[in-house]
């Protein structure tokens, strides 16, 4: 027998979890029972924001089992599963391999987190992109430097609590288990991912860095070998493809090898940055002077002329980062440290695009959406000829005015005043403009020249889908290839990618054990 109890707590009241558990037990009437904190959320709709704590209280006679992480074992002599990519999907696929009786053998094109960090520092210093080690490629994938937002909560996707518990086990704060919008922080993620890597290796798994899959051989409906770094020929049985949304070389490889891929709708736009203090005033409807109130976030969605215009990857107290993966392109993303204590709030602000937008690139077949994406990234680079990003004040953009000067911005390589319309299609730019007008009416102060738009935000999701069977989860042509997570069009973010990694390995297990 159990009972769900909600307790309202104002920010300046005690947030002691054990005290609140005792209060929940008292409210339930189940004396001498036990309580588990399920979730904490913040209701900031009024001028007096408050937290809602939700507990489940159990009777004293009931045995309560909490969710645990993976049950790991020595996998040295287990059958091998090869995993391409060591981002969230690859990491959790590896854990699931070990739990289910397989040895993960992982090929990651980039470097480990320590070496990768040095390359990112050099990128910010010299503005030179290392095409194999950047904000998208390397240990932990793009997730390492997108600050660890863990927003997926639907258990329909898979064992959410198991993933969260695993992050805690390897160094994340315990509050990610019950926060409504859990977040780890870019400053903490590298050490956590390093701990995960060490655990996989200690169990007998193999992780090979700076090993890029550049080819493959096929025999009928199966992949026989992976070609690594153009020279190593690796015999494989089952292959999990977890390469992320920016692995364009994989898309090109598949197209060249006549492996079925499809152009996929995605979204493109800008990074939008406001002073964090301004967002706090808008969202809390008061000054955020209370240390118990976190830096405020937002989630914005509008329908403009039949298309969705929306914010994503919102980073309170964060910075805008250069996320290009090759020379000659500008791509912006965002992240926050664990305390989210920076001066600025940024988010992607993007418009859905589809086949209607890709018409000029039809000659590229299934790569047409990728070519469209690349075109606008290169256009943004052409404006300044370096990693300096084109930027415009929001009100100037709405009024079609050139910004004669720009406010301070968190984007480290720097910004230069440009017309944002130059680096977006008319269909995208005009919808962003109209959406900002609508939002200015709904959110007093949001439409302001204190805020800027920085272009372009183009890696919202993969522009290519790699089709897989709905039952076996293997590729529709190749029975031992398992397209997975963001890079194949089946996830969006750390949590959903991790869950998809678990899902495909479970499918392999079910097939092999029949």
């Amino acid at each position: 027998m159990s009972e769900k109890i909600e307790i309202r707590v104002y920010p300046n009241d005690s947030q002691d979890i054990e005290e609140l558990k005792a209060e929940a037990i008292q409210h339930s009437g189940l004396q001498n029972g036990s309580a588990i904190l399920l979730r904490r959320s913040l209701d900031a709709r009024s001028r007096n924001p408050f937290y809602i704590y939700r507990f489940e209280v159990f009777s004293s006679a009931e045995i309560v089992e909490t969710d645990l992480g993976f049950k790991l074992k020595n996998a040295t002599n287990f059958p091998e599963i090869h995993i391409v990519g060591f981002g969230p999907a690859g990491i959790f696929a590896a854990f699931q391999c070990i739990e289910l009786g397989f040895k993960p053998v992982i090929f990651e094109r980039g470097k480990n987190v320590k070496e990768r960090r040095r390359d990112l520092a050099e990128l910010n210093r010299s503005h030179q992109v290392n095409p194999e080690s950047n904000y998208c490629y390397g240990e932990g994938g793009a997730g390492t430097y997108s600050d660890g937002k863990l927003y997926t909560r639907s258990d329909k996707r898979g064992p959410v609590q198991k993933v969260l518990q695993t992050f805690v086990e390897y160094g994340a704060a315990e509050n990610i288990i019950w926060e409504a919008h859990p977040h780890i922080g870019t400053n903490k993620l590298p050490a956590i991912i390093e701990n995960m890597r060490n655990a996989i290796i200690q169990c007998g798994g193999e992780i090979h860095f700076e090993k890029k899959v550049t080819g493959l051989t096929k025999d009928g409906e199966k992949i026989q070998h992976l070609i690594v770094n153009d020279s190593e020929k690796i015999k494989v049985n089952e292959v999990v493809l977890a390469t992320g949304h920016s692995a364009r070389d994989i898309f090109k490889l598949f197209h060249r090898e006549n492996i079925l891929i499809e152009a996929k709708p995605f979204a493109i736009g800008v990074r939008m940055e406001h002073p964090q203090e301004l967002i706090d005033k808008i969202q809390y409807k008061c000054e955020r002077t209370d240390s118990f109130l976190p830096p405020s976030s937002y989630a914005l969605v509008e329908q403009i002329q039949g298309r969705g215009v929306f914010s994503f990857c919102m980073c309170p107290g964060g910075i805008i980062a250069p996320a290009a993966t090759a020379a000659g392109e500008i791509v912006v993303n965002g992240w926050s440290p664990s305390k989210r204590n920076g001066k600025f709030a940024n988010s992607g602000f993007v418009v859905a695009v589809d086949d209607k937008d890709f018409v000029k690139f039809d000659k590229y077949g299934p790569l047409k959406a990728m070519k469209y994406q690349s075109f606008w990234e290169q256009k943004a680079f052409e404006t300044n000829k370096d990693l300096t990003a084109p930027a415009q004040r929001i009100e100037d953009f709405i009024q079609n005015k050139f910004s004669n000067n720009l406010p301070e911005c968190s984007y480290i390589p720097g910004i230069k005043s440009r017309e944002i319309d130059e680096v977006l299609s008319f269909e995208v730019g005009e919808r962003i403009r109209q959406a900002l007008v609508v939002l200015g009416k709904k959110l007093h102060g949001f439409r302001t020249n204190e805020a800027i738009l920085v272009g372009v935000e183009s890696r919202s999701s993969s522009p290519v889908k790699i089709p897989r069977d709905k039952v076996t989860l293997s590729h529709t042509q190749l029975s031992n290839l398992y397209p997975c997570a963001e890079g194949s069009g089946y996830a969006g973010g750390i949590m959903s990618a991790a869950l998809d990694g678990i899902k495909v390995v479970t499918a392999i297990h079910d097939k092999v054990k029949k």
Side-chain angles (χ1 to χ4, degrees), residues 163-445:
V163 172
L164 293 174
Q165 184 63 47
T166 302
F167 276 117
V168 172
E169 185 176 343
Y170 291 100
E174 190 175 4
N175 68 353
I176 68 169
I177 299 292
W178 40 262
E179 287 284 7
H181 294 98
H183 162 259
I184 294 175
T186 298
N187 55 319
K188 293 187 175 182
L189 268 167
I192 293 168
I193 289 168
E194 189 172 10
N195 292 340
M196 290 177 164
R197 177 231 302 165
N198 291 335
I200 292 167
I201 292 172
Q202 287 167 10
C203 289
E206 296 180 17
I207 304 174
H208 304 278
F209 293 108
E210 298 184 74
K211 296 292 184 178
K212 179 180 178 179
V213 172
T214 53
L216 53 84
T217 68
K218 297 178 289 183
D219 182 10
E221 296 182 353
K222 286 194 172 184
I223 293 178
Q224 293 296 307
H225 302 89
L226 295 176
I227 310 301
V228 177
N229 290 351
D230 295 319
S231 58
E232 300 175 52
K233 195 173 183 180
I234 312 295
K235 179 114 173 92
V236 296
N237 291 315
E238 312 290 340
V239 179
V240 174
L241 186 73
T243 46
H245 60 39
S246 291
R248 290 173 173 167
D249 53 301
I250 290 292
F251 302 145
K252 293 176 183 177
L253 168 64
F254 278 29
H255 188 46
R256 191 167 63 245
E257 293 289 338
N258 293 314
I259 298 171
L260 185 63
I261 59 176
E262 303 168 355
K264 175 182 155 296
F266 65 105
I268 189 169
V270 292
R271 270 276 143 182
M272 179 166 57
E273 184 170 82
H274 288 74
Q276 180 64 54
E277 183 180 8
L278 177 58
I279 297 300
D280 292 340
K281 287 180 182 178
I282 293 170
Q283 295 296 81
Y284 291 136
K285 303 173 183 64
C286 61
E287 297 282 347
R288 184 177 70 87
T289 56
D290 196 319
S291 61
F292 288 106
L293 278 175
S296 183
S297 63
Y298 56 75
L300 309 171
V301 182
E302 296 293 338
Q303 282 292 319
I304 304 293
Q305 297 181 25
R307 296 202 201 189
V309 184
F310 58 94
S311 65
F312 85 105
C313 185
M314 197 275 154
C315 302
I319 75 159
I320 300 175
T325 52
E329 62 188 30
I330 293 283
V331 182
V332 291
N333 196 355
W335 59 265
S336 303
S338 57
K339 292 183 179 179
R340 293 180 160 177
N341 56 355
K343 293 191 295 184
F344 301 104
N346 74 75
S347 75
F349 198 56
V350 294
V351 178
V353 290
D354 57 27
D355 278 345
K356 296 188 295 295
D357 301 278
F358 312 147
V359 169
K360 290 183 180 178
F361 303 90
D362 276 346
K363 66 180 180 180
Y364 297 102
L367 299 178
K368 61 184 177 180
M370 186 188 83
K371 290 292 185 178
Y372 171 92
Q373 181 189 58
S374 179
F375 174 85
W376 292 109
E377 293 170 358
Q378 292 169 13
K379 192 81 169 175
F381 182 85
E382 288 168 8
T383 60
N384 299 329
K385 301 295 185 183
D386 60 18
L387 282 188
T388 307
Q392 190 173 10
R393 293 177 183 265
I394 279 185
E395 185 61 26
D396 287 345
F397 171 73
I398 293 171
Q399 300 292 340
N400 288 297
K401 293 180 180 178
F402 182 82
S403 295
N404 292 318
N405 55 65
L406 295 170
E408 183 183 358
C409 176
S410 65
Y411 182 71
I412 294 174
I415 55 176
K416 189 172 290 186
S417 189
R418 289 289 185 271
E419 299 273 358
I420 288 296
D421 282 324
E422 295 176 10
V423 297
L424 298 173
S425 71
F426 174 80
E427 292 78 10
V428 170
E430 190 56 31
R431 283 175 171 85
I432 289 176
R433 181 175 284 107
Q434 291 182 34
L436 289 170
V437 171
V438 173
L439 290 171
K441 295 175 181 177
K442 292 181 178 180
L443 303 172
H444 181 68

